[in-house]
Every structure is written in structure tokens, then in C-alpha cells.
Amino acid sequence: MRSFVVNSEIAELFFVDTTPFVDKYFVRPKDHKYDWSGVLPRQHYLSNLLKDVDLALRNSAAKWKIVIGHHGIRSAGHHGDTKELVKQLLPILEANEVDLYINGHDHCLQHISSITSRIQFLTSGGGSKAWKGDFSANSHKGMRFYYDGQGFISVQLTPNDAIVAFYNIYGKVMHTLNLSKGLYSAV
């Protein structure tokens, strides 16, 4: 399955196949080879995927709604915002009050708070190819944290609180995001 939902009672994790959204993979694939089995015709696939995500989010009774995709929606890293996701997926996430969108793709750690909704955009792509030095600090008013090195994040959930910690490769906490239903703060 390219997209699926995991229910853990207090949270639902919505895994979304973001690769078929990206136009350049179809228009200019360069040396890359993609398996588009089950994706073509592309517009039909994307239309159904967006309807499925919207319906699953609308029907969710989970305390925390977390969407996970490979590509960032908002990013100050090497790849920047994924314009196709901003246009097509983001409105659905905002309408359904998603709490977190977690992605990789950019080889960094970052936390961007939406300025138009409750969504916190979290990138945990610091496993390799880090330290590129191509950070755009002015690209997002909601930028809370950016680290161009290697590391990882952890997410701890209770029915009322979420703690997201950003670690470097030595296990040092570099940034913490504390969320409570109805009250948000970033340290």
C-alpha cells in the first residue's frame, strides 16, 4: 500500500504517498527510475488519494491527527516548499485540523509553525547528506528551529499533550515542541 492509516487510540497516523504529487518526477525524471504501478493515470490516482485522505481525516475521532509523507509541505531546506502539496494537500490538512505533518526529504531537522492553522511542520531528514548549508532563514515566518546537521526526532503522546524533541547525533536535545490540546508552545 502506498498510503495507509495507523490507529493507536489517542492518535491516528495518516501515511500519504507524496511522490506522485511532484510534477518534476514525471516531466524531468533525469536518471531516476520510478515505479508508477497503480499510479497511472496520475490525475485519477491523486484525485482518489486526496478524497481518501480527506474522508479518513474527517471520520477520525483521534485526539491527535498526524500526517506523514516523504516530501515536506513547508521547508526552508534544500528542496524548499513542495508547491504541489501546498496547493493540493495542505488545504485538506488545514480543514481537518491536523496537528502535525512529519516528513523527510530535506536532509536537516526543522520545525515550522503554520501561521494560518494549528499544523506544525516537522522535518526529520537528518540521517545523511546533511551540512549542505543551503538554508533560507527568511522563507518562513513560522520558523521555530532549523539544524543542517544529522539527527532525529522523537514524538511522545498522551491524550492531552505532545512532546516533540529534536536530537543531534550525540543524543543532545536541540529543540523541544510542547503541544497541549488548545494550547501550543515551542521552546
Side-chain angles (χ1 to χ4, degrees), residues 4 19 56 69 105 108 118 127 139 143 153 155 172 177:
F4 55 93
T19 301
H105 196 53
C108 62
R118 70 184 313 144
S139 64
M143 178 60 68
I153 68 171
V155 179
K172 178 185 174 203
L177 166 65

Side-chain angles (χ1 to χ4, degrees), residues 63-158:
K63 196 84 163 175
W64 297 96
K65 296 179 185 180
I66 302 170
V67 176
I68 301 162
H70 177 74
H71 299 84
I73 294 176
R74 297 287 186 206
S75 177
H78 177 75
H79 297 99
D81 291 355
T82 305
K83 65 182 184 344
E84 299 89 347
L85 295 176
V86 170
K87 181 180 177 184
Q88 298 175 65
L89 183 60
L90 183 56
I92 292 170
L93 305 187
E94 290 175 334
N96 289 288
E97 299 181 334
V98 166
D99 299 291
L100 305 174
Y101 179 81
I102 303 174
N103 65 275
H105 196 53
D106 273 320
H107 297 276
C108 62
L109 301 174
Q110 65 182 325
H111 167 207
I112 299 172
S113 293
S114 172
I115 59 171
T116 59
S117 72
R118 70 184 313 144
I119 301 173
Q120 304 298 307
F121 299 99
L122 312 175
T123 299
S124 181
S128 68
K129 295 184 183 178
W131 298 289
K132 287 185 177 222
D134 54 2
F135 163 66
S136 177
N138 298 324
S139 64
H140 290 286
K141 292 179 183 175
M143 178 60 68
R144 301 290 180 250
F145 172 74
Y146 187 91
Y147 178 61
D148 194 31
Q150 294 176 321
F152 59 95
I153 68 171
S154 69
V155 179
Q156 180 181 357
L157 299 171
T158 68

Side-chain angles (χ1 to χ4, degrees), residues 2-69:
R2 293 178 177 268
S3 299
F4 55 93
V5 177
V6 175
N7 184 339
S8 69
E9 293 186 29
I10 63 169
E12 280 191 331
L13 300 113
F14 303 83
F15 290 83
V16 178
D17 180 16
T18 59
T19 301
F21 284 93
V22 183
D23 292 336
K24 74 178 182 181
Y25 298 154
F26 291 86
V27 179
R28 298 178 312 279
K30 296 185 184 178
D31 301 336
H32 301 288
K33 302 279 189 239
Y34 300 99
D35 178 5
W36 298 125
S37 301
V39 172
L40 301 175
R42 180 179 174 217
Q43 287 313 112
H44 179 71
Y45 175 82
L46 292 177
S47 176
N48 286 336
L49 176 58
L50 291 167
K51 287 176 192 170
D52 290 347
V53 169
D54 186 39
L55 183 62
L57 287 168
R58 265 191 285 132
N59 289 336
S60 175
K63 196 84 163 175
W64 297 96
K65 296 179 185 180
I66 302 170
V67 176
I68 301 162

